[in-house]
């Protein structure tokens, strides 16, 4: 950031300008342990006096996470059937980023549609990286089922070793899974012959590291040791999505001295119903468990009214 041509830039005209930066862009930040909530620095020493005014700084809650389900979700594809559950809107919901200008565009040879991602290493560099990054984390739990895959087309003739991954959360190395592509032992049948090859990665290969409820990078490639003379990517999408997990809309109602909880369920999930009588208590206690069958379940907490004046509930999948 720093001028009006940058994504979150501003005009250097001496006037006030408002900037709005998605917190998902602050990579490798643990928001649970912040010690400085706002910082400004420069990588170079100023060559003249600098006057910089800051005012009206605040954080605001995130919007609801986009939750594609019941179909295929397109990250970068022009094939209609590969975005039946929606598609990532580049430039609106986030962007494709080349890290530290390590790659530059070259001539495209699309696998499908009219364009692809065609890149080569910038001169003099021995590493490269790229990623599709949304402004707000996505809920991709619809792609947790057996048979769901990350599918894409890729081609290169380079022998460079690189890693392909997904990331959840914000902290590098936590909630992140890398899969190594190395000449002579490339996974998923990939061949380095300069032709297009379709790669299917089972979503189970990203588990348990990637939390599909908070995906912060859909698709990333990194090499820490090599440059690459050319690599092309196209038709990137997730396949076979079913019903997603979301925030539980749990209904609570009194029933004499008891309390009834009603919760929607899906067919593949078991649930734990937890409670505590005081929010300052660090631990939740288990009330009961319930199996999902696609219906709304009613759970009774007996004689609550005679035991305590308040009770708080949380419903989570039993495998979390």
């Amino acid at each position: 950031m720093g001028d009006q041509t940058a994504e979150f830039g501003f005009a250097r005209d001496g006037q006030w300008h408002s900037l709005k930066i998605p917190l998902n862009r602050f990579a490798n930040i643990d928001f649970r342990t912040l010690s400085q909530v706002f910082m400004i620095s420069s990588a170079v020493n100023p060559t003249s006096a600098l006057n910089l005014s800051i005012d009206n700084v605040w954080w605001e809650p995130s919007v609801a996470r986009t939750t594609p389900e019941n179909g295929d979700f397109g990250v970068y594809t022009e094939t209609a059937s590969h975005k039946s559950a929606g598609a990532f809107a580049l430039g609106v919901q986030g962007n494709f980023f080349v890290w530290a200008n390590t790659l530059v565009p070259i001539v495209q040879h699309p696998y499908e549609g009219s364009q692809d991602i065609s890149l080569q290493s910038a001169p003099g560099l021995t590493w490269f990286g790229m990623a599709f990054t949304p402004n707000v984390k996505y809920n991709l739990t619809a792609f947790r089922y057996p048979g769901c895959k990350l599918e894409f087309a890729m081609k290169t003739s380079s022998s460079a070793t690189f890693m392909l991954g997904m990331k959840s959360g914000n902290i590098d190395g936590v909630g992140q899974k890398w899969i190594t592509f190395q000449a002579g032992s490339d996974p998923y049948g990939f061949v380095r012959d300069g032709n297009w090859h379709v790669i299917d990665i089972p979503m189970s290969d990203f588990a348990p590291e990637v939390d599909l409820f908070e995906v912060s990078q859909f698709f990333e490639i990194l090499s820490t040791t090599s440059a690459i003379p050319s690599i092309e990517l196209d038709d990137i999408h997730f396949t076979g999505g079913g019903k997603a997990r979301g925030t539980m809309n749990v209904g609570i109602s009194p029933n004499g001295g008891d309390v009834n909880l009603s919760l929607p369920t899906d067919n593949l999930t078991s649930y734990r119903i937890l409670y505590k009588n005081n929010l300052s208590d660090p631990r939740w206690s288990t009330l009961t468990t319930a199996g999902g069958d696609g219906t709304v379940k009613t759970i009774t907490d007996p004689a609550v009214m005679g035991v305590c004046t308040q009770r708080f509930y949380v419903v989570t999948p039993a495998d979390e």
Side-chain angles (χ1 to χ4, degrees):
M1 196 177 75
D3 58 56
Q4 59 266 39
T5 64
E7 185 178 6
F8 305 112
F10 58 94
R12 295 174 179 243
D13 56 7
Q15 305 299 313
W16 284 107
H17 298 277
S18 295
L19 288 82
K20 192 171 185 177
I21 304 176
L23 293 178
N24 196 43
R25 295 296 179 81
F26 291 93
N28 206 26
I29 297 294
D30 185 350
F31 287 102
R32 299 165 298 182
T33 59
L34 283 180
S35 58
Q36 294 176 320
V37 297
F38 183 81
M39 300 185 300
I40 291 179
S41 67
S42 174
V44 297
N45 293 325
T47 57
S48 60
L50 171 69
N51 293 319
L52 179 63
S53 299
I54 304 294
D55 196 6
N56 201 28
V57 180
W58 79 94
W59 290 28
E60 62 185 21
S62 175
V63 299
R65 291 174 185 163
T66 301
T67 306
E69 57 184 350
N70 300 319
D72 289 4
F73 172 65
V75 176
Y76 183 89
T77 180
E78 298 172 71
T79 301
S81 61
H82 293 170
K83 43 189 175 181
S84 57
F88 178 52
L90 277 171
V92 178
Q93 295 173 311
N95 259 304
F96 171 71
F97 293 98
V98 170
W99 298 338
N101 298 316
T102 52
L103 296 160
V104 295
I106 54 177
V107 176
Q108 298 181 4
H109 311 89
Y111 170 76
E112 50 89 59
S114 61
Q115 56 187 338
D116 70 357
I117 295 171
S118 185
L119 301 165
Q120 68 179 17
S121 288
L125 297 180
T126 57
W127 77 279
F128 62 89
M130 63 183 105
F132 285 89
T133 305
N135 292 333
V136 177
K137 295 177 180 64
Y138 269 56
N139 176 356
L140 295 186
T141 57
F143 300 93
R144 71 191 186 276
Y145 301 98
C148 293
K149 298 175 182 178
L150 169 61
E151 183 174 285
F152 59 97
M154 181 167 69
K155 74 171 182 174
T156 188
S157 56
S158 169
S159 61
T161 297
F162 58 87
M163 300 180 294
L164 186 147
M166 285 184 66
K167 181 179 177 181
S168 60
N170 286 79
I171 308 171
D172 287 347
V174 178
Q176 191 171 30
K177 176 64 178 287
W178 291 108
I179 297 169
T180 299
F181 283 72
Q182 185 172 12
S185 58
D186 285 308
Y188 310 108
F190 180 60
V191 181
R192 298 172 181 249
D193 59 3
N195 296 313
W196 284 110
H197 296 276
V198 175
I199 298 170
D200 288 300
I201 302 180
M203 291 301 293
S204 58
D205 287 4
F206 293 106
E209 289 87 348
V210 177
D211 182 354
L212 294 180
F213 188 72
E214 53 171 6
V215 174
S216 52
Q217 289 179 337
F218 303 122
F219 183 97
E220 50 186 357
I221 290 181
L222 170 67
S223 174
T224 59
T225 59
S226 304
I228 195 163
S230 69
I231 185 170
E232 293 192 63
L233 302 162
D234 205 353
D235 198 23
I236 304 169
H237 60 287
F238 294 92
T239 71
K243 181 176 175 57
R245 287 177 179 165
T247 302
M248 297 289 295
N249 295 315
V250 180
I252 302 176
S253 59
N255 181 19
D258 305 336
V259 168
N260 283 347
L261 295 88
S262 58
L263 58 139
T265 68
D266 66 33
N267 290 314
L268 293 179
T269 307
S270 296
Y271 301 88
R272 289 186 298 162
I273 296 86
L274 310 175
Y275 73 91
K276 62 171 67 172
N277 295 334
N278 193 319
L279 286 178
S280 63
D281 188 337
R283 294 179 297 180
W284 292 89
S285 299
T286 299
L287 174 66
T288 188
T289 59
D293 59 7
T295 67
V296 176
K297 296 284 189 179
T298 298
I299 307 297
T300 299
D301 189 358
V304 170
M305 301 305 181
V307 173
C308 57
T309 58
Q310 63 181 8
R311 180 160 285 186
F312 304 90
Y313 299 94
V314 167
V315 180
T316 68
D319 59 355
E320 295 182 354

